[in-house]
Amino acid sequence: MKSALKKLRDGLNTKLGFFLLTLLLFAIKSYWAYSTKFNLGVKGSVQHFLLAFNTIPGALVFIGIALYFRGRLSYWLMSLINFLLSTWLFANILYYREFSDFITFNLIKGSGSTSNNLGKSLLGIMKPSDFLVYADVIILIIVLLTHLIRVDMRYFKTRYAMTITALGFVLFGVNLGMAESNRSQLLTRTFDNNYIVKYLGLQAYTIYDGVKTQHNDAIKSRAESNDLKPVLRFLHSNYASPNVQYYGTAKGKNVFIIHLESFQQFLIDYKVNGQEVTPTLNKLYHSDNTLAFDNFFHQVAQGKTSDAEMMLENSLFGLPEGSAMVSDGSTNTFQSMPALMDQRGYTTASFHGDVPSFWNRDNAYKSFGYQYFFSKNFFPKTPDYDAGYGIKDKIFMKDSAYYLEQLPQPFYAKLITVTNHYPYILDKKNKSIDPLTTGDKTVDPYVQTAHYLDQSIQEFLNYLDASGLRKNSILILYGDHYGISNNHPSAINKILKTKKANNYQLAMFQKVPFMINMDGLKGGIDHTYGGEIDVLPTLEDLLGMSSKNYIQFGQDLLSPQRNQIVSFRDGDFVTPKYTKYNGDIYYTKTGKQIKQQTPKQKKELDKIQHYVTTELGLSDKVMNGDLLRFYHLRGFKKVNKKDYTYNTQKSLKKLKQARKKKKTSVKAENNNQSTFDEYSTDAPELKENPKLDFPK
Ligand code: GP9
Ligand code: MN
């Protein structure tokens, strides 16, 4: 016994021994983090084995670099490399908690635009146990400093170091082989970063991502106008012509796009302790003047809000990784809704209570052709007006009315709310409903911020009625994406009152509201299956502007010809008949799983999958290759980013001139009397400080 211990001690006192100890601790730590900090969907013993195994090859290669150096330096390098790898793991843990995904180079490239807010929210969601990723680094440094393990000053042959590096690569090859046999096309399909980390580990994922980003940049320079051919062919054969009953019924009306942050469909008619969470939206949902869709899904990926915006403004999908608005928003050519509306005589404006740089909006909006972008800089700084990502909804909605009444009509206005954003921070004085009781602290206040959002919508609708805007406007309301990510399984189970939500239930949990409200609209609850990609063609047809020649991937939700295939960004899908989510297949109507497909089913499913893969692939081709630069849209004037500015002073000057030229704003039509005072809010912050100072 004693001699075994001594042998171990002697072993650890050699450089190889210390290296192996480092490796072992690193592997244990990584495995622990993979299985507790991420939601990788590890199933069965093979996948568990791979999850543990994949921690080793990268560590051999990276930490093994230290073996090429001599003496003490080599030991410190081992600790330093371990520290850097651990920090990368740590950063990914935090990022994952918020975004359910891993950090990408695309995101880092655009990080200037998102970092300020990201930091704020990441700090709020850090957990003490996250720091355990540094436990092995600290232990190893302590044993070195206290000489519990002695530094082996002997020369470590380069030959041996090279053998270890080579072993790292060989084991990676073995890892890849095993991964491919468990999950084919792992690297080629690239639908989900979770898969890559699960099978190959975080370091391999990072390298893979770096190579891919470089590759994407190269694609743009290689793309040519011929690449448009398959896109046009696909869009042409899948064009769904409008419903004559609705076509053009909103022609000439003001358009309001109301972006309900993180708002899921389950909140509609949902009650907490007998109290309706969203009475205003419920009423709107059931109104005779509202077309409400109850089988409508979000289709976002990592770009979340920005993906939703990309789909709503362009009917193009976001990218599988990162945010297309960040990676391509500044440079690509777009034929977006704001520009299309502008060229039909509309005033176009986006309103958002966050800094203009977030999600690269300040650049992407110029490419989209927005005349105005009323961001945080345009709103008065009242004390206590900010929470989480930006101005609290009640204050934001009211402040927006200050500019709305100045816009020459007709206008196309998008209002992006923000208070109902993870981790649902709201001060006590604004809470007027009980939280959920799932026991998940970051999820429970979700209904409280949703309730607050709902109240802000009510106040806004009151103003639209009071100012007369309501009767000549069409309102589009939609939830941008999930509020409770699949990373909160026990909270989801509590909400769904189920033991363990299966993939069908999780798929249905991705429903978000989509409502169209307009005086005189033939409303009702429509059960058509659709998603965010379909909003734009639907709206275009309502406005009487045929989308037939546009490069847009959605289909009018009111068209009798639509195919009702909802593509999720990762290649899964929902149709009225089948649902595929995380690889499992179900009957959509009953939720019953299909474990053995009949030949007929297989054929049908293959056909749907082919459509989904083609649609996503072609949309990505348009985005990655910047293909719209080659597309001549008849009657459309190409947007020149330089024509736009969102500088406060310049924008206000421009607005003043526009009002002089076209006297159709609400204010002008009201004998130049402001209607702003008719906006009533119970926001406590404004009761305490009623004076609002807008920039001049
Ligand atoms: C920030 C807001 C949040 O400005 O739109 O974006 P999200 O985190 O939901 O993508
Ligand atoms: Mn969002």
Side-chain angles (χ1 to χ4, degrees):
M1 177 71 192
K2 212 173 169 189
S3 73
L5 260 180
K6 190 175 171 325
K7 260 194 192 144
L8 180 69
R9 186 114 198 240
D10 287 348
L12 288 175
N13 283 334
T14 66
K15 193 189 279 186
L16 184 65
F18 184 77
F19 174 72
L20 291 176
L21 177 67
T22 306
L23 207 69
L24 179 71
L25 294 182
F26 181 83
I28 294 173
K29 175 261 299 285
S30 303
Y31 179 74
W32 164 79
Y34 288 166
S35 36
T36 61
K37 299 284 174 184
F38 305 109
N39 194 2
L40 302 177
V42 188
K43 277 186 208 147
S45 50
V46 176
Q47 293 192 3
H48 268 287
F49 171 75
L50 281 172
L51 191 69
F53 184 77
N54 78 36
T55 59
I56 297 166
L60 277 171
V61 172
F62 286 110
I63 304 177
I65 293 172
L67 296 175
Y68 291 88
F69 295 83
R70 285 164 183 257
R72 278 208 172 76
L73 174 64
S74 150
Y75 280 75
W76 289 119
L77 267 180
M78 266 187 243
S79 307
L80 179 69
I81 296 168
N82 189 354
F83 173 79
L84 293 176
L85 293 176
S86 307
T87 302
W88 184 237
L89 179 61
F90 184 77
N92 273 284
I93 288 173
L94 294 192
Y95 183 77
Y96 194 94
R97 191 162 298 140
E98 167 98 32
F99 293 96
S100 292
D101 213 329
F102 298 91
I103 302 174
T104 61
F105 279 96
N106 263 338
L107 201 99
I108 297 168
K109 277 203 301 185
S111 65
S113 69
T114 46
S115 55
N116 46 357
N117 281 11
L118 220 55
K120 218 191 285 173
S121 74
L122 289 186
L123 262 178
I125 58 174
M126 222 179 256
K127 289 183 184 167
S129 62
D130 298 340
F131 289 95
L132 281 176
V133 300
Y134 292 111
D136 58 331
V137 186
I138 294 167
I139 292 171
L140 290 166
I141 290 178
I142 290 174
V143 295
L144 281 180
L145 287 177
T146 55
H147 302 290
L148 257 166
I149 291 180
R150 280 198 304 274
V151 172
D152 177 4
M153 298 299 277
R154 282 173 305 166
Y155 178 61
F156 192 78
K157 287 201 179 102
T158 311
R159 205 160 17 106
Y160 294 159
M162 283 164 85
T163 310
I164 283 179
T165 309
L167 184 66
F169 282 106
V170 170
L171 289 186
F172 179 73
V174 173
N175 188 177
L176 196 60
M178 286 193 286
E180 271 290 323
S181 74
N182 194 270
R183 169 105 219 168
S184 67
Q185 293 183 297
L186 177 69
L187 293 182
T188 40
R189 282 177 67 210
T190 75
F191 281 141
D192 195 336
N193 294 336
N194 280 307
Y195 292 175
I196 302 181
V197 176
K198 173 164 79 176
Y199 286 109
L200 303 177
L202 188 60
Q203 294 98 39
Y205 158 76
T206 303
I207 294 170
Y208 166 77
D209 177 58
V211 171
K212 211 161 42 120
T213 308
Q214 173 62 30
H215 173 75
N216 281 349
D217 290 350
I219 290 179
K220 214 161 281 199
S221 62
R222 277 204 310 267
E224 51 179 36
S225 63
N226 259 344
D227 299 341
L228 271 175
K229 278 190 186 149
V231 175
L232 291 169
R233 219 176 303 131
F234 176 84
L235 293 180
H236 187 72
S237 60
N238 289 295
Y239 177 71
S241 50
N243 184 331
V244 280
Q245 229 191 325
Y246 286 100
Y247 190 81
T249 47
K251 200 176 175 109
K253 301 239 179 196
N254 298 316
V255 181
F256 282 103
I257 309 283
I258 301 180
H259 176 114
L260 306 168
E261 180 56 43
S262 304
F263 199 101
Q264 293 185 213
Q265 176 73 8
F266 87 83
L267 287 171
I268 298 289
D269 293 335
Y270 193 77
K271 286 187 180 152
V272 172
N273 291 338
Q275 194 184 349
E276 274 181 273
V277 177
T278 59
T280 305
L281 292 167
N282 297 348
K283 220 172 115 204
L284 208 58
Y285 182 79
H286 295 289
S287 152
D288 290 342
N289 290 331
T290 302
L291 262 170
F293 294 82
D294 63 352
N295 286 313
F296 182 88
F297 295 79
H298 82 76
Q299 295 167 292
V300 310
Q302 215 174 1
K304 290 180 78 186
T305 293
S306 65
D307 283 353
E309 289 193 64
M310 182 59 82
M311 286 186 271
L312 267 280
E313 309 282 22
N314 300 287
S315 197
L316 291 174
F317 286 95
L319 292 172
E321 289 112 35
S323 155
M325 247 165 74
V326 174
S327 58
D328 303 284
S330 312
T331 49
N332 274 19
T333 296
F334 292 94
Q335 291 157 355
S336 315
M337 192 55 164
L340 290 164
M341 296 303 272
D342 180 345
Q343 297 178 22
R344 281 170 174 71
Y346 273 66
T347 308
T348 59
S350 175
F351 298 77
H352 185 46
D354 191 8
V355 292
S357 54
F358 200 84
W359 285 133
N360 196 31
R361 287 187 177 99
D362 50 349
N363 289 304
Y365 280 176
K366 290 180 185 169
S367 309
F368 294 173
Y370 265 117
Q371 295 164 9
Y372 303 98
F373 176 24
F374 298 106
S375 66
K376 198 175 201 169
N377 304 349
F378 288 76
F379 300 117
K381 289 191 180 24
T382 46
D384 209 15
Y385 75 130
D386 213 46
Y389 277 83
I391 305 177
K392 292 177 204 165
D393 293 339
K394 282 188 185 172
I395 306 174
F396 163 69
M397 291 301 244
K398 178 173 169 113
D399 287 353
S400 298
Y402 177 82
Y403 294 109
L404 271 173
E405 69 161 3
Q406 303 185 45
L407 300 179
Q409 302 183 78
F411 56 70
Y412 171 85
K414 168 160 82 171
L415 291 104
I416 305 171
T417 63
V418 85
T419 311
N420 189 39
H421 192 290
Y422 188 79
Y424 314 112
I425 303 159
L426 189 61
D427 35 14
K428 218 167 151 197
K429 59 177 187 276
N430 276 304
K431 288 184 180 170
S432 50
I433 190 168
D434 293 336
L436 292 169
T437 49
T438 69
D440 187 329
K441 272 206 216 77
T442 51
V443 165
D444 284 348
Y446 179 49
V447 288
Q448 297 179 303
T449 46
H451 186 62
Y452 174 82
L453 164 62
D454 185 75
Q455 291 174 326
S456 80
I457 301 291
Q458 183 61 58
E459 294 178 352
F460 186 71
L461 294 178
N462 293 345
Y463 168 74
L464 293 187
D465 287 330
S467 62
L469 266 170
R470 184 77 179 267
K471 60 179 186 305
N472 56 359
S473 301
I474 178 168
L475 271 58
I476 306 279
L477 295 101
Y478 80 105
D480 63 343
H481 48 73
Y482 56 86
I484 303 174
S485 74
N486 291 347
N487 251 345
H488 301 271
S490 75
I492 294 178
N493 292 339
K494 292 243 167 66
I495 291 165
L496 297 179
K497 299 196 174 70
T498 175
K499 245 197 168 138
K500 188 176 180 304
N502 64 16
N503 281 325
Y504 171 77
Q505 289 165 305
L506 291 178
M508 296 305 132
F509 202 58
Q510 308 310 314
K511 285 185 186 178
V512 291
F514 174 55
M515 300 185 231
I516 308 171
N517 173 273
M518 181 175 77
D519 269 7
L521 184 77
K522 195 175 158 290
I525 295 175
D526 191 317
H527 307 305
T528 289
Y529 284 78
E532 288 163 325
I533 199 76
D534 303 315
V535 173
L536 187 53
T538 311
L539 177 61
E540 284 163 342
D541 284 343
L542 284 162
L543 291 168
M545 43 197 279
S546 166
S547 57
K548 196 162 184 183
N549 295 320
Y550 300 160
I551 296 198
Q552 298 180 347
F553 283 84
Q555 292 186 328
D556 179 350
L557 289 168
L558 299 166
S559 165
Q561 288 171 6
R562 53 176 280 92
N563 61 22
Q564 304 198 63
I565 298 176
V566 186
S567 309
F568 288 124
R569 188 49 269 203
D570 62 358
D572 285 343
F573 52 78
V574 180
T575 72
K577 195 163 179 190
Y578 300 115
T579 293
K580 181 176 170 224
Y581 200 72
N582 282 334
D584 289 342
I585 293 167
Y586 301 85
Y587 288 111
T588 302
K589 288 269 137 49
T590 59
K592 199 171 161 269
Q593 189 170 358
I594 303 177
K595 291 208 169 121
Q596 270 313 325
Q597 296 167 24
T598 63
K600 187 171 160 253
Q601 283 173 334
K602 190 173 176 323
K603 217 169 138 199
E604 283 176 333
L605 284 159
D606 283 351
K607 204 171 152 208
I608 300 168
Q609 185 68 72
H610 180 72
Y611 177 86
V612 170
T613 313
T614 311
E615 178 183 44
L616 292 167
L618 289 174
S619 174
D620 290 350
K621 274 220 165 92
V622 171
M623 191 67 72
N624 291 328
D626 187 13
L627 296 188
L628 288 177
R629 70 190 143 139
F630 303 121
Y631 186 59
H632 176 72
L633 180 60
R634 219 178 314 136
F636 181 78
K637 201 174 141 265
K638 200 176 157 161
V639 172
N640 184 358
K641 268 184 70 194
K642 292 207 185 72
D643 295 344
Y644 300 87
T645 173
Y646 303 140
N647 168 287
T648 324
Q649 261 67 45
K650 285 184 189 152
S651 293
L652 294 179
K653 210 171 135 201
K654 194 173 134 194
L655 182 58
K656 216 170 159 186
Q657 282 164 355
R659 268 167 37 217
K660 257 196 203 145
K661 224 169 109 192
K662 198 171 167 194
K663 299 189 170 57
T664 55
S665 70
V666 170
K667 199 172 164 187
E669 289 182 348
N670 195 37
N671 298 322
N672 268 327
Q673 299 293 303
S674 172
T675 61
F676 191 51
D677 285 346
E678 283 167 44
Y679 199 117
S680 99
T681 170
D682 65 5
E685 301 83 357
L686 299 186
K687 272 209 183 92
E688 290 152 23
N689 299 282
K691 205 175 132 14
L692 291 171
D693 269 327
F694 286 89
K696 292 259 167 350

